[in-house]
PDB file of all heavy atoms in Angstrom:
ATOM      1  N   ALA A   1       6.983  -3.562  -3.947  1.00  0.00           N
ATOM      2  CA  ALA A   1       6.199  -4.797  -3.957  1.00  0.00           C
ATOM      3  C   ALA A   1       6.795  -5.774  -2.988  1.00  0.00           C
ATOM      4  O   ALA A   1       7.946  -5.633  -2.476  1.00  0.00           O
ATOM      5  CB  ALA A   1       6.127  -5.396  -5.411  1.00  0.00           C
ATOM      6  N   GLY A   2       6.094  -6.869  -2.744  1.00  0.00           N
ATOM      7  CA  GLY A   2       6.579  -7.931  -1.815  1.00  0.00           C
ATOM      8  C   GLY A   2       6.219  -7.663  -0.447  1.00  0.00           C
ATOM      9  O   GLY A   2       6.780  -8.309   0.498  1.00  0.00           O
ATOM     10  N   GLY A   3       5.244  -6.781  -0.138  1.00  0.00           N
ATOM     11  CA  GLY A   3       4.763  -6.525   1.246  1.00  0.00           C
ATOM     12  C   GLY A   3       5.450  -5.454   2.028  1.00  0.00           C
ATOM     13  O   GLY A   3       5.155  -5.210   3.118  1.00  0.00           O
ATOM     14  N   ILE A   4       6.378  -4.698   1.322  1.00  0.00           N
ATOM     15  CA  ILE A   4       7.188  -3.752   2.006  1.00  0.00           C
ATOM     16  C   ILE A   4       6.353  -2.426   2.211  1.00  0.00           C
ATOM     17  O   ILE A   4       6.321  -1.799   3.219  1.00  0.00           O
ATOM     18  CB  ILE A   4       8.469  -3.403   1.335  1.00  0.00           C
ATOM     19  CG1 ILE A   4       9.371  -4.715   1.371  1.00  0.00           C
ATOM     20  CG2 ILE A   4       9.142  -2.209   1.909  1.00  0.00           C
ATOM     21  CD1 ILE A   4      10.707  -4.555   0.667  1.00  0.00           C
ATOM     22  N   SER A   5       5.642  -2.021   1.107  1.00  0.00           N
ATOM     23  CA  SER A   5       4.873  -0.762   1.200  1.00  0.00           C
ATOM     24  C   SER A   5       3.486  -1.075   1.839  1.00  0.00           C
ATOM     25  O   SER A   5       2.501  -1.324   1.114  1.00  0.00           O
ATOM     26  CB  SER A   5       4.618  -0.263  -0.207  1.00  0.00           C
ATOM     27  OG  SER A   5       5.875   0.207  -0.733  1.00  0.00           O
ATOM     28  N   THR A   6       3.473  -0.991   3.114  1.00  0.00           N
ATOM     29  CA  THR A   6       2.246  -1.397   3.829  1.00  0.00           C
ATOM     30  C   THR A   6       1.317  -0.102   3.978  1.00  0.00           C
ATOM     31  O   THR A   6       1.773   0.925   3.829  1.00  0.00           O
ATOM     32  CB  THR A   6       2.547  -1.782   5.268  1.00  0.00           C
ATOM     33  OG1 THR A   6       3.220  -0.640   5.985  1.00  0.00           O
ATOM     34  CG2 THR A   6       3.542  -2.995   5.383  1.00  0.00           C
ATOM     35  N   PRO A   7       0.002  -0.343   4.257  1.00  0.00           N
ATOM     36  CA  PRO A   7      -0.853   0.762   4.455  1.00  0.00           C
ATOM     37  C   PRO A   7      -0.386   1.690   5.641  1.00  0.00           C
ATOM     38  O   PRO A   7      -0.519   2.913   5.593  1.00  0.00           O
ATOM     39  CB  PRO A   7      -2.183   0.087   4.930  1.00  0.00           C
ATOM     40  CG  PRO A   7      -2.108  -1.266   4.192  1.00  0.00           C
ATOM     41  CD  PRO A   7      -0.664  -1.641   4.246  1.00  0.00           C
ATOM     42  N   ALA A   8       0.213   1.109   6.683  1.00  0.00           N
ATOM     43  CA  ALA A   8       0.765   1.908   7.730  1.00  0.00           C
ATOM     44  C   ALA A   8       1.858   2.820   7.328  1.00  0.00           C
ATOM     45  O   ALA A   8       1.984   4.031   7.725  1.00  0.00           O
ATOM     46  CB  ALA A   8       1.226   1.052   8.909  1.00  0.00           C
ATOM     47  N   LEU A   9       2.763   2.345   6.460  1.00  0.00           N
ATOM     48  CA  LEU A   9       3.825   3.182   5.933  1.00  0.00           C
ATOM     49  C   LEU A   9       3.273   4.271   5.011  1.00  0.00           C
ATOM     50  O   LEU A   9       3.651   5.489   5.193  1.00  0.00           O
ATOM     51  CB  LEU A   9       4.829   2.305   5.135  1.00  0.00           C
ATOM     52  CG  LEU A   9       6.007   3.050   4.498  1.00  0.00           C
ATOM     53  CD1 LEU A   9       6.878   3.759   5.553  1.00  0.00           C
ATOM     54  CD2 LEU A   9       6.842   2.106   3.680  1.00  0.00           C
ATOM     55  N   ALA A  10       2.375   3.962   4.117  1.00  0.00           N
ATOM     56  CA  ALA A  10       1.814   4.993   3.135  1.00  0.00           C
ATOM     57  C   ALA A  10       1.108   5.962   3.938  1.00  0.00           C
ATOM     58  O   ALA A  10       1.191   7.222   3.658  1.00  0.00           O
ATOM     59  CB  ALA A  10       0.955   4.228   2.172  1.00  0.00           C
ATOM     60  N   ALA A  11       0.301   5.598   4.927  1.00  0.00           N
ATOM     61  CA  ALA A  11      -0.454   6.543   5.747  1.00  0.00           C
ATOM     62  C   ALA A  11       0.442   7.484   6.488  1.00  0.00           C
ATOM     63  O   ALA A  11       0.164   8.719   6.522  1.00  0.00           O
ATOM     64  CB  ALA A  11      -1.335   5.759   6.745  1.00  0.00           C
ATOM     65  N   ALA A  12       1.558   7.041   7.007  1.00  0.00           N
ATOM     66  CA  ALA A  12       2.466   7.848   7.859  1.00  0.00           C
ATOM     67  C   ALA A  12       3.113   8.933   6.971  1.00  0.00           C
ATOM     68  O   ALA A  12       3.240  10.051   7.282  1.00  0.00           O
ATOM     69  CB  ALA A  12       3.487   6.926   8.509  1.00  0.00           C
ATOM     70  N   VAL A  13       3.523   8.474   5.724  1.00  0.00           N
ATOM     71  CA  VAL A  13       4.132   9.458   4.800  1.00  0.00           C
ATOM     72  C   VAL A  13       3.170  10.467   4.346  1.00  0.00           C
ATOM     73  O   VAL A  13       3.452  11.627   4.296  1.00  0.00           O
ATOM     74  CB  VAL A  13       4.690   8.671   3.637  1.00  0.00           C
ATOM     75  CG1 VAL A  13       5.271   9.583   2.561  1.00  0.00           C
ATOM     76  CG2 VAL A  13       5.881   7.737   4.090  1.00  0.00           C
ATOM     77  N   SER A  14       1.931  10.013   3.943  1.00  0.00           N
ATOM     78  CA  SER A  14       0.965  10.977   3.486  1.00  0.00           C
ATOM     79  C   SER A  14       0.561  11.942   4.598  1.00  0.00           C
ATOM     80  O   SER A  14       0.406  13.205   4.367  1.00  0.00           O
ATOM     81  CB  SER A  14      -0.345  10.249   2.998  1.00  0.00           C
ATOM     82  OG  SER A  14      -0.061   9.617   1.742  1.00  0.00           O
ATOM     83  N   ASP A  15       0.353  11.490   5.837  1.00  0.00           N
ATOM     84  CA  ASP A  15      -0.005  12.350   6.882  1.00  0.00           C
ATOM     85  C   ASP A  15       1.177  13.318   7.257  1.00  0.00           C
ATOM     86  O   ASP A  15       0.922  14.429   7.789  1.00  0.00           O
ATOM     87  CB  ASP A  15      -0.272  11.449   8.158  1.00  0.00           C
ATOM     88  CG  ASP A  15      -1.709  10.919   8.061  1.00  0.00           C
ATOM     89  OD1 ASP A  15      -2.517  11.326   7.246  1.00  0.00           O
ATOM     90  OD2 ASP A  15      -2.040  10.103   8.940  1.00  0.00           O
ATOM     91  N   ALA A  16       2.340  12.962   6.901  1.00  0.00           N
ATOM     92  CA  ALA A  16       3.506  13.918   7.170  1.00  0.00           C
ATOM     93  C   ALA A  16       3.697  14.927   6.130  1.00  0.00           C
ATOM     94  O   ALA A  16       4.699  15.670   6.126  1.00  0.00           O
ATOM     95  CB  ALA A  16       4.783  13.055   7.426  1.00  0.00           C
ATOM     96  N   GLY A  17       2.786  14.892   5.079  1.00  0.00           N
ATOM     97  CA  GLY A  17       2.909  15.960   4.023  1.00  0.00           C
ATOM     98  C   GLY A  17       3.416  15.417   2.767  1.00  0.00           C
ATOM     99  O   GLY A  17       3.526  16.236   1.788  1.00  0.00           O
ATOM    100  N   GLY A  18       3.843  14.162   2.676  1.00  0.00           N
ATOM    101  CA  GLY A  18       4.326  13.550   1.438  1.00  0.00           C
ATOM    102  C   GLY A  18       3.210  12.819   0.746  1.00  0.00           C
ATOM    103  O   GLY A  18       2.058  13.029   0.959  1.00  0.00           O
ATOM    104  N   LEU A  19       3.582  11.799  -0.111  1.00  0.00           N
ATOM    105  CA  LEU A  19       2.654  10.985  -0.825  1.00  0.00           C
ATOM    106  C   LEU A  19       3.065   9.492  -0.632  1.00  0.00           C
ATOM    107  O   LEU A  19       4.015   9.092  -1.120  1.00  0.00           O
ATOM    108  CB  LEU A  19       2.581  11.322  -2.306  1.00  0.00           C
ATOM    109  CG  LEU A  19       1.629  10.512  -3.124  1.00  0.00           C
ATOM    110  CD1 LEU A  19       0.225  10.691  -2.646  1.00  0.00           C
ATOM    111  CD2 LEU A  19       1.761  10.906  -4.620  1.00  0.00           C
ATOM    112  N   GLY A  20       2.217   8.783   0.165  1.00  0.00           N
ATOM    113  CA  GLY A  20       2.442   7.409   0.359  1.00  0.00           C
ATOM    114  C   GLY A  20       1.804   6.504  -0.793  1.00  0.00           C
ATOM    115  O   GLY A  20       0.768   6.895  -1.313  1.00  0.00           O
ATOM    116  N   PHE A  21       2.462   5.410  -1.132  1.00  0.00           N
ATOM    117  CA  PHE A  21       1.968   4.568  -2.121  1.00  0.00           C
ATOM    118  C   PHE A  21       1.879   3.063  -1.667  1.00  0.00           C
ATOM    119  O   PHE A  21       2.674   2.633  -0.880  1.00  0.00           O
ATOM    120  CB  PHE A  21       3.053   4.599  -3.304  1.00  0.00           C
ATOM    121  CG  PHE A  21       2.580   5.323  -4.494  1.00  0.00           C
ATOM    122  CD1 PHE A  21       2.839   6.699  -4.607  1.00  0.00           C
ATOM    123  CD2 PHE A  21       1.852   4.736  -5.547  1.00  0.00           C
ATOM    124  CE1 PHE A  21       2.492   7.457  -5.672  1.00  0.00           C
ATOM    125  CE2 PHE A  21       1.459   5.504  -6.619  1.00  0.00           C
ATOM    126  CZ  PHE A  21       1.727   6.809  -6.721  1.00  0.00           C
ATOM    127  N   LEU A  22       0.856   2.455  -2.209  1.00  0.00           N
ATOM    128  CA  LEU A  22       0.706   0.973  -2.096  1.00  0.00           C
ATOM    129  C   LEU A  22       1.244   0.366  -3.354  1.00  0.00           C
ATOM    130  O   LEU A  22       1.167   0.952  -4.422  1.00  0.00           O
ATOM    131  CB  LEU A  22      -0.725   0.547  -1.839  1.00  0.00           C
ATOM    132  CG  LEU A  22      -1.397   1.052  -0.579  1.00  0.00           C
ATOM    133  CD1 LEU A  22      -2.846   0.675  -0.600  1.00  0.00           C
ATOM    134  CD2 LEU A  22      -0.666   0.499   0.649  1.00  0.00           C
ATOM    135  N   ALA A  23       1.840  -0.865  -3.196  1.00  0.00           N
ATOM    136  CA  ALA A  23       2.284  -1.550  -4.360  1.00  0.00           C
ATOM    137  C   ALA A  23       1.245  -2.658  -4.752  1.00  0.00           C
ATOM    138  O   ALA A  23       1.067  -3.643  -3.990  1.00  0.00           O
ATOM    139  CB  ALA A  23       3.645  -2.190  -4.076  1.00  0.00           C
ATOM    140  N   GLY A  24       0.690  -2.597  -5.907  1.00  0.00           N
ATOM    141  CA  GLY A  24      -0.259  -3.566  -6.393  1.00  0.00           C
ATOM    142  C   GLY A  24       0.346  -4.790  -6.973  1.00  0.00           C
ATOM    143  O   GLY A  24      -0.307  -5.867  -7.055  1.00  0.00           O
ATOM    144  N   GLY A  25       1.679  -4.758  -7.327  1.00  0.00           N
ATOM    145  CA  GLY A  25       2.279  -5.906  -7.935  1.00  0.00           C
ATOM    146  C   GLY A  25       2.323  -7.097  -7.075  1.00  0.00           C
ATOM    147  O   GLY A  25       2.630  -7.012  -5.822  1.00  0.00           O
ATOM    148  N   TYR A  26       2.097  -8.275  -7.608  1.00  0.00           N
ATOM    149  CA  TYR A  26       2.091  -9.597  -6.978  1.00  0.00           C
ATOM    150  C   TYR A  26       0.864  -9.851  -6.022  1.00  0.00           C
ATOM    151  O   TYR A  26       0.689 -10.985  -5.634  1.00  0.00           O
ATOM    152  CB  TYR A  26       3.373  -9.862  -6.142  1.00  0.00           C
ATOM    153  CG  TYR A  26       4.646  -9.612  -6.874  1.00  0.00           C
ATOM    154  CD1 TYR A  26       5.720  -8.931  -6.277  1.00  0.00           C
ATOM    155  CD2 TYR A  26       4.819 -10.042  -8.173  1.00  0.00           C
ATOM    156  CE1 TYR A  26       6.900  -8.789  -6.944  1.00  0.00           C
ATOM    157  CE2 TYR A  26       5.965  -9.845  -8.830  1.00  0.00           C
ATOM    158  CZ  TYR A  26       7.066  -9.205  -8.201  1.00  0.00           C
ATOM    159  OH  TYR A  26       8.225  -9.005  -8.905  1.00  0.00           O
ATOM    160  N   LYS A  27       0.169  -8.813  -5.738  1.00  0.00           N
ATOM    161  CA  LYS A  27      -1.019  -8.995  -4.782  1.00  0.00           C
ATOM    162  C   LYS A  27      -2.190  -9.473  -5.586  1.00  0.00           C
ATOM    163  O   LYS A  27      -2.336  -9.152  -6.769  1.00  0.00           O
ATOM    164  CB  LYS A  27      -1.367  -7.661  -4.100  1.00  0.00           C
ATOM    165  CG  LYS A  27      -0.322  -7.258  -3.006  1.00  0.00           C
ATOM    166  CD  LYS A  27      -0.927  -6.088  -2.179  1.00  0.00           C
ATOM    167  CE  LYS A  27       0.089  -5.702  -1.146  1.00  0.00           C
ATOM    168  NZ  LYS A  27       1.267  -5.008  -1.707  1.00  0.00           N
ATOM    169  N   THR A  28      -3.064 -10.195  -4.903  1.00  0.00           N
ATOM    170  CA  THR A  28      -4.408 -10.510  -5.451  1.00  0.00           C
ATOM    171  C   THR A  28      -5.199  -9.211  -5.496  1.00  0.00           C
ATOM    172  O   THR A  28      -4.981  -8.222  -4.731  1.00  0.00           O
ATOM    173  CB  THR A  28      -5.136 -11.559  -4.612  1.00  0.00           C
ATOM    174  OG1 THR A  28      -5.425 -11.021  -3.281  1.00  0.00           O
ATOM    175  CG2 THR A  28      -4.266 -12.837  -4.585  1.00  0.00           C
ATOM    176  N   VAL A  29      -6.266  -9.191  -6.323  1.00  0.00           N
ATOM    177  CA  VAL A  29      -7.082  -7.983  -6.349  1.00  0.00           C
ATOM    178  C   VAL A  29      -7.765  -7.796  -4.940  1.00  0.00           C
ATOM    179  O   VAL A  29      -7.929  -6.707  -4.431  1.00  0.00           O
ATOM    180  CB  VAL A  29      -8.199  -8.128  -7.435  1.00  0.00           C
ATOM    181  CG1 VAL A  29      -9.185  -6.945  -7.361  1.00  0.00           C
ATOM    182  CG2 VAL A  29      -7.432  -8.174  -8.840  1.00  0.00           C
ATOM    183  N   GLU A  30      -8.186  -8.992  -4.377  1.00  0.00           N
ATOM    184  CA  GLU A  30      -8.837  -8.911  -3.012  1.00  0.00           C
ATOM    185  C   GLU A  30      -7.923  -8.363  -2.000  1.00  0.00           C
ATOM    186  O   GLU A  30      -8.260  -7.598  -1.171  1.00  0.00           O
ATOM    187  CB  GLU A  30      -9.363 -10.309  -2.671  1.00  0.00           C
ATOM    188  CG  GLU A  30     -10.439 -10.888  -3.499  1.00  0.00           C
ATOM    189  CD  GLU A  30     -10.062 -11.206  -4.979  1.00  0.00           C
ATOM    190  OE1 GLU A  30      -8.773 -11.543  -5.089  1.00  0.00           O
ATOM    191  OE2 GLU A  30     -10.852 -11.342  -5.824  1.00  0.00           O
ATOM    192  N   GLY A  31      -6.623  -8.839  -2.089  1.00  0.00           N
ATOM    193  CA  GLY A  31      -5.695  -8.336  -1.064  1.00  0.00           C
ATOM    194  C   GLY A  31      -5.359  -6.835  -1.246  1.00  0.00           C
ATOM    195  O   GLY A  31      -5.260  -6.088  -0.247  1.00  0.00           O
ATOM    196  N   LEU A  32      -5.235  -6.362  -2.465  1.00  0.00           N
ATOM    197  CA  LEU A  32      -5.019  -4.935  -2.744  1.00  0.00           C
ATOM    198  C   LEU A  32      -6.283  -4.090  -2.270  1.00  0.00           C
ATOM    199  O   LEU A  32      -6.029  -3.012  -1.654  1.00  0.00           O
ATOM    200  CB  LEU A  32      -4.814  -4.715  -4.184  1.00  0.00           C
ATOM    201  CG  LEU A  32      -4.465  -3.266  -4.636  1.00  0.00           C
ATOM    202  CD1 LEU A  32      -3.321  -2.669  -3.829  1.00  0.00           C
ATOM    203  CD2 LEU A  32      -4.215  -3.254  -6.158  1.00  0.00           C
ATOM    204  N   ALA A  33      -7.434  -4.653  -2.481  1.00  0.00           N
ATOM    205  CA  ALA A  33      -8.653  -3.952  -2.070  1.00  0.00           C
ATOM    206  C   ALA A  33      -8.630  -3.823  -0.571  1.00  0.00           C
ATOM    207  O   ALA A  33      -9.066  -2.721   0.007  1.00  0.00           O
ATOM    208  CB  ALA A  33      -9.924  -4.640  -2.556  1.00  0.00           C
ATOM    209  N   GLU A  34      -8.223  -4.824   0.215  1.00  0.00           N
ATOM    210  CA  GLU A  34      -8.205  -4.752   1.586  1.00  0.00           C
ATOM    211  C   GLU A  34      -7.208  -3.753   2.099  1.00  0.00           C
ATOM    212  O   GLU A  34      -7.379  -2.987   3.023  1.00  0.00           O
ATOM    213  CB  GLU A  34      -7.827  -6.108   2.108  1.00  0.00           C
ATOM    214  CG  GLU A  34      -8.929  -7.194   2.108  1.00  0.00           C
ATOM    215  CD  GLU A  34      -8.500  -8.516   2.622  1.00  0.00           C
ATOM    216  OE1 GLU A  34      -7.407  -8.589   3.207  1.00  0.00           O
ATOM    217  OE2 GLU A  34      -9.194  -9.519   2.470  1.00  0.00           O
ATOM    218  N   GLU A  35      -6.097  -3.646   1.361  1.00  0.00           N
ATOM    219  CA  GLU A  35      -4.992  -2.671   1.757  1.00  0.00           C
ATOM    220  C   GLU A  35      -5.528  -1.237   1.556  1.00  0.00           C
ATOM    221  O   GLU A  35      -5.275  -0.340   2.305  1.00  0.00           O
ATOM    222  CB  GLU A  35      -3.680  -2.922   0.917  1.00  0.00           C
ATOM    223  CG  GLU A  35      -3.011  -4.191   1.477  1.00  0.00           C
ATOM    224  CD  GLU A  35      -1.501  -4.140   1.136  1.00  0.00           C
ATOM    225  OE1 GLU A  35      -1.127  -3.253   0.276  1.00  0.00           O
ATOM    226  OE2 GLU A  35      -0.769  -4.934   1.664  1.00  0.00           O
ATOM    227  N   ILE A  36      -6.246  -1.077   0.468  1.00  0.00           N
ATOM    228  CA  ILE A  36      -6.816   0.325   0.168  1.00  0.00           C
ATOM    229  C   ILE A  36      -7.769   0.748   1.281  1.00  0.00           C
ATOM    230  O   ILE A  36      -7.763   1.788   1.796  1.00  0.00           O
ATOM    231  CB  ILE A  36      -7.429   0.327  -1.262  1.00  0.00           C
ATOM    232  CG1 ILE A  36      -6.426   0.252  -2.316  1.00  0.00           C
ATOM    233  CG2 ILE A  36      -8.213   1.695  -1.386  1.00  0.00           C
ATOM    234  CD1 ILE A  36      -6.971   0.006  -3.679  1.00  0.00           C
TER     235      ILE A  36
END
């Protein structure tokens, strides 16, 4: 949380065969929806 787990980071990890995660903590619902 706190902005570290970005969509770009999660996408890169998932595309490389792992599983990328977004952090919903502290974000607004609207902000999390935009990241998804």
Side-chain angles (χ1 to χ4, degrees):
I4 294 175
S5 294
T6 64
L9 178 61
V13 172
S14 289
D15 280 346
L19 178 62
F21 255 90
L22 296 176
Y26 307 140
K27 288 189 178 74
T28 64
V29 174
E30 294 73 20
L32 181 56
E34 287 178 11
E35 289 203 346
I36 292 172

